[in-house]
PDB file of all heavy atoms in Angstrom:
ATOM      1  N   ALA W  26       1.517  13.866  21.007  1.00 95.00           N
ATOM      2  CA  ALA W  26       1.595  12.863  22.079  1.00 95.00           C
ATOM      3  C   ALA W  26       3.057  12.689  22.453  1.00 95.00           C
ATOM      4  O   ALA W  26       3.884  12.391  21.596  1.00 95.00           O
ATOM      5  CB  ALA W  26       1.008  11.536  21.607  1.00 95.00           C
ATOM      6  N   ALA W  38      -1.592   4.637  26.606  1.00 97.00           N
ATOM      7  CA  ALA W  38      -3.048   4.740  26.670  1.00 97.00           C
ATOM      8  C   ALA W  38      -3.573   5.411  25.411  1.00 97.00           C
ATOM      9  O   ALA W  38      -3.001   6.378  24.900  1.00 97.00           O
ATOM     10  CB  ALA W  38      -3.449   5.553  27.899  1.00 97.00           C
ATOM     11  N   GLY W  39      -4.670   4.876  24.870  1.00 97.00           N
ATOM     12  CA  GLY W  39      -5.285   5.469  23.698  1.00 97.00           C
ATOM     13  C   GLY W  39      -4.650   5.069  22.378  1.00 97.00           C
ATOM     14  O   GLY W  39      -4.958   5.653  21.337  1.00 97.00           O
ATOM     15  N   TRP W  40      -3.770   4.074  22.413  1.00 98.00           N
ATOM     16  CA  TRP W  40      -3.120   3.587  21.196  1.00 98.00           C
ATOM     17  C   TRP W  40      -3.422   2.101  21.023  1.00 98.00           C
ATOM     18  O   TRP W  40      -3.625   1.385  22.004  1.00 98.00           O
ATOM     19  CB  TRP W  40      -1.608   3.788  21.261  1.00 98.00           C
ATOM     20  CG  TRP W  40      -1.173   5.215  21.254  1.00 98.00           C
ATOM     21  CD1 TRP W  40      -1.396   6.152  22.222  1.00 98.00           C
ATOM     22  CD2 TRP W  40      -0.420   5.877  20.236  1.00 98.00           C
ATOM     23  NE1 TRP W  40      -0.842   7.352  21.878  1.00 98.00           N
ATOM     24  CE2 TRP W  40      -0.228   7.216  20.664  1.00 98.00           C
ATOM     25  CE3 TRP W  40       0.117   5.469  19.019  1.00 98.00           C
ATOM     26  CZ2 TRP W  40       0.473   8.147  19.895  1.00 98.00           C
ATOM     27  CZ3 TRP W  40       0.822   6.399  18.247  1.00 98.00           C
ATOM     28  CH2 TRP W  40       0.983   7.716  18.689  1.00 98.00           C
ATOM     29  N   THR W  41      -3.417   1.652  19.770  1.00 98.00           N
ATOM     30  CA  THR W  41      -3.546   0.231  19.446  1.00 98.00           C
ATOM     31  C   THR W  41      -2.250  -0.216  18.790  1.00 98.00           C
ATOM     32  O   THR W  41      -1.797   0.394  17.814  1.00 98.00           O
ATOM     33  CB  THR W  41      -4.719  -0.015  18.493  1.00 98.00           C
ATOM     34  OG1 THR W  41      -5.935   0.388  19.124  1.00 98.00           O
ATOM     35  CG2 THR W  41      -4.800  -1.484  18.118  1.00 98.00           C
ATOM     36  N   CYS W  78       2.084   0.943  15.808  1.00 98.00           N
ATOM     37  CA  CYS W  78       1.303   1.412  16.952  1.00 98.00           C
ATOM     38  C   CYS W  78       0.585   2.683  16.508  1.00 98.00           C
ATOM     39  O   CYS W  78       1.240   3.677  16.161  1.00 98.00           O
ATOM     40  CB  CYS W  78       2.215   1.677  18.144  1.00 98.00           C
ATOM     41  SG  CYS W  78       1.345   1.876  19.721  1.00 98.00           S
ATOM     42  N   VAL W  79      -0.749   2.654  16.468  1.00 98.00           N
ATOM     43  CA  VAL W  79      -1.529   3.765  15.926  1.00 98.00           C
ATOM     44  C   VAL W  79      -2.398   4.394  17.007  1.00 98.00           C
ATOM     45  O   VAL W  79      -2.859   3.733  17.937  1.00 98.00           O
ATOM     46  CB  VAL W  79      -2.406   3.317  14.740  1.00 98.00           C
ATOM     47  CG1 VAL W  79      -1.536   2.814  13.595  1.00 98.00           C
ATOM     48  CG2 VAL W  79      -3.404   2.253  15.154  1.00 98.00           C
ATOM     49  N   LYS W  80      -2.602   5.691  16.861  1.00 98.00           N
ATOM     50  CA  LYS W  80      -3.401   6.439  17.828  1.00 98.00           C
ATOM     51  C   LYS W  80      -4.874   6.251  17.516  1.00 98.00           C
ATOM     52  O   LYS W  80      -5.336   6.587  16.423  1.00 98.00           O
ATOM     53  CB  LYS W  80      -3.032   7.917  17.798  1.00 98.00           C
ATOM     54  CG  LYS W  80      -3.692   8.719  18.903  1.00 98.00           C
ATOM     55  CD  LYS W  80      -3.043  10.067  19.069  1.00 98.00           C
ATOM     56  CE  LYS W  80      -3.752  10.901  20.119  1.00 98.00           C
ATOM     57  NZ  LYS W  80      -3.790  10.230  21.441  1.00 98.00           N
ATOM     58  N   ARG W  81      -5.607   5.711  18.482  1.00 97.00           N
ATOM     59  CA  ARG W  81      -7.034   5.456  18.291  1.00 97.00           C
ATOM     60  C   ARG W  81      -7.800   6.772  18.133  1.00 97.00           C
ATOM     61  O   ARG W  81      -7.459   7.787  18.730  1.00 97.00           O
ATOM     62  CB  ARG W  81      -7.604   4.661  19.462  1.00 97.00           C
ATOM     63  CG  ARG W  81      -7.091   3.239  19.527  1.00 97.00           C
ATOM     64  CD  ARG W  81      -7.978   2.364  20.402  1.00 97.00           C
ATOM     65  NE  ARG W  81      -7.945   2.749  21.798  1.00 97.00           N
ATOM     66  CZ  ARG W  81      -7.089   2.264  22.690  1.00 97.00           C
ATOM     67  NH1 ARG W  81      -6.177   1.380  22.310  1.00 97.00           N
ATOM     68  NH2 ARG W  81      -7.142   2.643  23.954  1.00 97.00           N
ATOM     69  N   GLY W  82      -8.849   6.721  17.320  1.00 95.00           N
ATOM     70  CA  GLY W  82      -9.705   7.889  17.147  1.00 95.00           C
ATOM     71  C   GLY W  82      -9.223   8.879  16.112  1.00 95.00           C
ATOM     72  O   GLY W  82      -9.862   9.909  15.898  1.00 95.00           O
ATOM     73  N   THR W  83      -8.105   8.601  15.456  1.00 97.00           N
ATOM     74  CA  THR W  83      -7.620   9.511  14.420  1.00 97.00           C
ATOM     75  C   THR W  83      -8.150   9.068  13.064  1.00 97.00           C
ATOM     76  O   THR W  83      -8.208   7.875  12.771  1.00 97.00           O
ATOM     77  CB  THR W  83      -6.088   9.563  14.384  1.00 97.00           C
ATOM     78  OG1 THR W  83      -5.549   8.230  14.232  1.00 97.00           O
ATOM     79  CG2 THR W  83      -5.545  10.158  15.680  1.00 97.00           C
ATOM     80  N   ALA W 188      -6.105   6.156  10.259  1.00 98.00           N
ATOM     81  CA  ALA W 188      -5.386   6.503  11.487  1.00 98.00           C
ATOM     82  C   ALA W 188      -3.932   6.830  11.173  1.00 98.00           C
ATOM     83  O   ALA W 188      -3.424   6.578  10.080  1.00 98.00           O
ATOM     84  CB  ALA W 188      -5.470   5.348  12.486  1.00 98.00           C
ATOM     85  N   VAL W 189      -3.259   7.413  12.170  1.00 98.00           N
ATOM     86  CA  VAL W 189      -1.839   7.741  12.050  1.00 98.00           C
ATOM     87  C   VAL W 189      -1.100   7.115  13.221  1.00 98.00           C
ATOM     88  O   VAL W 189      -1.682   6.878  14.288  1.00 98.00           O
ATOM     89  CB  VAL W 189      -1.603   9.265  12.015  1.00 98.00           C
ATOM     90  CG1 VAL W 189      -2.170   9.861  10.741  1.00 98.00           C
ATOM     91  CG2 VAL W 189      -2.228   9.944  13.236  1.00 98.00           C
ATOM     92  N   GLY W 190       0.194   6.847  13.036  1.00 98.00           N
ATOM     93  CA  GLY W 190       0.955   6.231  14.112  1.00 98.00           C
ATOM     94  C   GLY W 190       2.405   6.029  13.740  1.00 98.00           C
ATOM     95  O   GLY W 190       2.926   6.684  12.824  1.00 98.00           O
ATOM     96  N   PHE W 204       5.277  12.609  19.048  1.00 98.00           N
ATOM     97  CA  PHE W 204       4.504  12.264  17.851  1.00 98.00           C
ATOM     98  C   PHE W 204       3.426  13.337  17.651  1.00 98.00           C
ATOM     99  O   PHE W 204       2.670  13.666  18.575  1.00 98.00           O
ATOM    100  CB  PHE W 204       3.828  10.907  18.035  1.00 98.00           C
ATOM    101  CG  PHE W 204       2.898  10.537  16.920  1.00 98.00           C
ATOM    102  CD1 PHE W 204       3.387   9.972  15.756  1.00 98.00           C
ATOM    103  CD2 PHE W 204       1.550  10.776  17.027  1.00 98.00           C
ATOM    104  CE1 PHE W 204       2.533   9.625  14.717  1.00 98.00           C
ATOM    105  CE2 PHE W 204       0.675  10.445  15.996  1.00 98.00           C
ATOM    106  CZ  PHE W 204       1.176   9.873  14.837  1.00 98.00           C
ATOM    107  N   TYR W 206       0.483  15.240  14.698  1.00 98.00           N
ATOM    108  CA  TYR W 206      -0.232  15.149  13.433  1.00 98.00           C
ATOM    109  C   TYR W 206      -1.206  16.294  13.334  1.00 98.00           C
ATOM    110  O   TYR W 206      -1.635  16.875  14.338  1.00 98.00           O
ATOM    111  CB  TYR W 206      -0.961  13.802  13.311  1.00 98.00           C
ATOM    112  CG  TYR W 206      -2.065  13.622  14.322  1.00 98.00           C
ATOM    113  CD1 TYR W 206      -3.393  13.932  14.000  1.00 98.00           C
ATOM    114  CD2 TYR W 206      -1.785  13.170  15.607  1.00 98.00           C
ATOM    115  CE1 TYR W 206      -4.397  13.769  14.952  1.00 98.00           C
ATOM    116  CE2 TYR W 206      -2.796  13.015  16.540  1.00 98.00           C
ATOM    117  CZ  TYR W 206      -4.093  13.311  16.213  1.00 98.00           C
ATOM    118  OH  TYR W 206      -5.090  13.181  17.146  1.00 98.00           O
TER     119      TYR W 206
END
Side-chain angles (χ1 to χ4, degrees):
W40 293 66
T41 298
C78 194
V79 298
K80 188 165 177 58
R81 291 198 294 270
T83 55
V189 293
F204 174 83
Y206 65 95

